[in-house]
């Protein structure tokens, strides 16, 4: 017999196929005011609530630069709305993370009286939308109008005392304003300290011989959002007999300790490549030295010596991503035939390998650190393919333009999660 507690198959609810969700229609009627901004801060879309709260129509806002559509009140010498919102939006672009703003005064032009601004207070949240390449494709700006709340507090109604709830609201609002002030001071202090750190790093990377190589471009980009200097470096050293050496290296870790180790290893390698014959022996000397330098363990470095008379490149690598020789027709050679483990990772010292290959005048030699190509959760081969594709695309550029185009194409012009050191030289 059939259990009467079990419904018939025909009586069970059936799953019904629903049509696709019309997200444009949902966006249009969402009750909170939303604007969609491009990375250039041009208004790409607004919903009905945003038009209603600002007193503007879509046609008046679409395609306009945000701060042209909503400038500061010229009659208010203390107006800070543009500055604060601009800073928040650029934090989103840099960090790729949501930024919640404290309530702020940001007057807007009156829809009924041209040239007149209405006092408005806003509570805003700016949220990034990332594209397939991991970069910010859009910013969703939600701006809630809290003018009524702000203007009604903390003044007692009808001269009476504030209720407990009103007093708590005022206290929370005051704390939010104080938190905003402290956050702003912290950001300014962070920016000052970061600038000092970057200036120190650039001073440590000074390469006296670099000025003699007019067809060479170098770049150093500190990690995006990082306060500390780090351990990436580059170096160019002139040698006798129509030769010169180029190197890039990467010390594990961040902060002044890593920078100090970087300075010691960079100086030791510069001395070694002058004192011994060939890049492999120079790395042998550096590896022996690194054993006695705390913090030098697992440093990666590649050293190359370029013989301009024989038109050959000799190189040796200690666990570093392979340099690239870019030919004028856009083809690339990866210099990956003389790679050994990073410094200090072998229990016994063994001579390092060395390889060489010819080049043709007009070829371009590119050395870099892993921040240029590595992405979290991605195989390094994908990063190398992306690099060689970009080099082929911009093969005809001058070294300076090629360096900039390369950083832009790989999405790291404003920095990556790790430091980036880059050398681009036309042979």
């Amino acid at each position: 017999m059939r259990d009467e507690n079990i419904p018939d198959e025909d009586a069970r609810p059936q799953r019904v196929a629903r049509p696709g969700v019309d997200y444009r229609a949902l966006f249009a009627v969402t009750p909170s005011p939303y604007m969609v901004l491009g990375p250039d801060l041009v208004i790409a879309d607004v919903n009905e609530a945003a038009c209603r709260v600002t007193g503007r129509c879509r046609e008046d806002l679409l395609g306009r630069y945000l701060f042209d559509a909503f400038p500061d009140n010229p009659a208010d010498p203390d107006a800070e709305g543009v500055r604060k919102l601009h800073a928040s939006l650029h934090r989103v672009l840099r960090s790729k993370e949501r930024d919640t703003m404290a309530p702020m005064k940001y007057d807007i032009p009156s829809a009924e009286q041209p040239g007149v601004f209405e006092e408005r207070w806003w509570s805003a949240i700016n949220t990034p939308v990332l594209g397939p390449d991991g970069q910010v494709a859009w910013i969703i700006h939600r701006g809630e109008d809290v003018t009524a709340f702000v203007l009604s507090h903390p003044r007692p109604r009808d001269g009476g005392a504030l209720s407990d709830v009103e007093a708590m609201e005022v206290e929370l609002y005051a704390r939010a304003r104080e938190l905003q002030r402290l956050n702003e001071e912290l950001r300014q202090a962070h920016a000052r300290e970061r600038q000092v750190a970057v200036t120190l790093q650039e001073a440590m990377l000074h390469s006296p011989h670099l000025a003699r190589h007019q067809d060479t471009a170098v770049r150093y980009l500190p990690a995006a959002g990082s306060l500390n200097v780090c351990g990436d470096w580059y170096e160019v050293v002139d040698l006798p007999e129509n030769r010169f050496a180029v190197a890039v290296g990467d010390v594990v870790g961040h902060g002044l300790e890593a920078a100090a180790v970087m300075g010691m290893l960079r100086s030791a390698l510069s001395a070694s490549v002058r004192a011994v014959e060939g890049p492999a022996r120079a790395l042998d000397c550096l590896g022996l030295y690194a054993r006695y330098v705390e913090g030098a363990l697992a440093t990666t470095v590649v050293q190359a010596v370029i013989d301009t008379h024989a038109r050959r490149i000799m190189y040796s690598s200690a666990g570093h991503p392979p340099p690239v020789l870019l030919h004028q027709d856009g083809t690339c050679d990866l210099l990956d035939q003389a790679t050994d483990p990073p410094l200090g990772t072998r229990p016994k010292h063994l001579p390092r390998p060395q390889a060489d290959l010819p080049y043709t005048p007009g070829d371009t030699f590119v050395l870099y650190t892993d921040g240029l190509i590595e992405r979290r959760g991605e195989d390094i081969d994908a990063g190398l393919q992306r690099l060689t594709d970009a080099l082929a695309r911009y093969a005809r550029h001058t070294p300076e333009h090629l360096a900039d185009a390369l950083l832009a194409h790989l999405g790291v012009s404003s920095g990556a999660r790790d430091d980036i050191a880059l050398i681009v030289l036309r042979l």
Side-chain angles (χ1 to χ4, degrees):
M1 289 184 62
R2 182 178 64 85
D3 189 336
E4 294 182 357
N5 292 321
I6 300 177
D8 285 330
E9 286 290 324
D10 293 341
R12 294 177 183 176
Q14 301 295 308
R15 178 170 296 182
V16 179
R18 290 184 171 85
V21 178
D22 187 345
Y23 289 102
R24 179 174 289 277
L26 290 177
F27 173 80
V29 300
T30 300
S32 290
Y34 286 103
M35 293 186 186
V36 180
L37 309 174
D40 53 0
L41 307 187
V42 170
I43 301 171
D45 205 353
V46 294
N47 68 353
E48 295 170 4
C51 293
R52 187 167 53 251
V53 77
T54 60
R56 310 285 280 276
C57 62
R58 287 183 84 248
E59 293 72 22
D60 183 39
L61 295 175
L62 296 187
R64 297 189 64 186
Y65 180 57
L66 177 64
F67 299 114
D68 287 342
F70 298 100
D72 269 333
N73 183 355
D76 183 1
D78 298 322
E80 291 187 299
V82 167
R83 182 186 67 81
K84 291 179 179 178
L85 181 54
H86 185 275
S88 172
L89 294 170
H90 278 271
R91 283 195 294 273
V92 171
L93 289 172
R94 288 194 304 270
S95 68
K96 303 176 187 177
E97 296 178 354
R98 177 184 302 169
D99 191 74
T100 301
M101 304 181 67
M104 65 174 177
K105 183 175 181 291
Y106 194 147
D107 299 344
I108 64 172
S110 171
E112 301 175 354
Q113 303 178 66
V116 176
F117 281 67
E118 299 176 357
E119 181 178 353
R120 292 290 186 91
W121 289 78
W122 306 89
S123 177
I125 299 176
N126 298 306
T127 304
V129 179
L130 304 185
D133 60 353
Q135 302 303 305
V136 177
W138 307 102
I139 299 177
I140 299 176
H141 169 74
R142 190 191 81 182
E144 298 284 358
D145 187 347
V146 295
T147 307
F149 168 79
V150 173
L151 296 184
S152 66
H153 295 82
R155 292 171 297 201
R157 296 173 181 171
D158 302 325
L162 293 174
S163 68
D164 290 343
V165 172
E166 288 173 326
M168 183 178 296
E169 289 175 341
V170 172
E171 180 70 12
L172 289 173
Y173 176 73
R175 290 292 174 264
R177 294 286 290 174
E178 178 68 10
L179 180 61
Q180 180 188 30
R181 183 185 67 80
L182 293 175
N183 281 341
E184 185 66 23
E185 291 180 359
L186 181 60
R187 288 190 184 102
Q188 291 175 1
H190 183 283
R192 287 193 299 269
E193 189 168 348
R194 175 178 167 81
Q195 185 57 49
V196 170
V198 171
T199 301
L200 172 62
Q201 181 80 340
E202 291 174 347
M204 295 177 71
L205 288 175
H206 176 64
S207 183
H209 293 178
L210 184 59
R212 304 175 191 172
H213 297 266
Q214 297 300 315
D215 286 333
T216 300
V218 296
R219 298 289 186 272
Y220 170 74
L221 281 74
S226 173
L227 176 63
N228 296 317
V229 292
C230 301
D232 288 16
W233 86 84
Y234 56 78
E235 177 67 295
V236 177
V237 176
D238 285 338
L239 301 173
E241 301 175 353
N242 301 305
R243 298 176 304 145
F244 66 96
V246 290
V248 290
D250 184 359
V251 174
V252 175
H254 294 76
L256 291 173
E257 180 180 349
V261 173
M262 177 273 285
M264 290 187 286
L265 296 182
R266 181 174 181 263
S267 298
L269 183 57
S270 296
S272 297
V273 79
R274 289 176 170 94
V276 300
E277 187 66 29
R281 293 187 62 192
L283 288 186
D284 283 339
C285 294
L286 183 66
L288 291 171
Y289 173 70
R291 289 172 176 267
Y292 302 96
V293 177
E294 185 176 355
L297 181 68
T299 293
T300 69
V301 58
V302 60
Q303 175 72 71
V305 174
I306 299 166
D307 188 327
T308 58
H309 180 71
R311 295 178 181 172
R312 298 193 72 84
I313 301 172
M314 296 171 287
Y315 67 95
S316 184
S317 173
H320 202 81
V324 181
L325 182 61
L326 170 65
H327 301 291
Q328 297 176 69
D329 62 359
T331 59
C332 296
D333 291 327
L334 293 179
L335 279 66
D336 57 1
Q337 300 303 304
T339 300
D340 230 22
L343 301 181
T345 55
R346 275 185 169 155
K348 291 179 59 178
H349 175 74
L350 293 173
R352 291 190 177 270
Q354 180 172 298
D356 68 284
L357 77 167
Y359 71 85
T360 301
D363 288 349
T364 304
F365 193 34
V366 180
L367 304 91
Y368 55 93
T369 53
D370 57 9
L372 183 69
I373 62 167
E374 289 189 352
R375 303 293 182 267
R376 180 171 291 181
E378 181 182 81
D379 189 86
I380 191 172
D381 288 338
L384 288 171
Q385 185 63 56
R386 194 163 47 239
L387 171 63
T388 54
D389 288 346
L391 288 171
R393 181 174 182 176
Y394 303 111
R396 297 292 183 180
H397 284 33
T398 65
E400 288 289 341
H401 290 164
L402 176 56
D404 291 335
L406 192 59
L407 295 172
H409 185 88
L410 298 179
V412 292
S413 294
S414 300
R417 298 182 66 90
D418 196 5
D419 279 22
I420 296 172
L422 172 66
I423 301 180
V424 178
L425 63 95
R426 184 67 38 82
L427 297 170

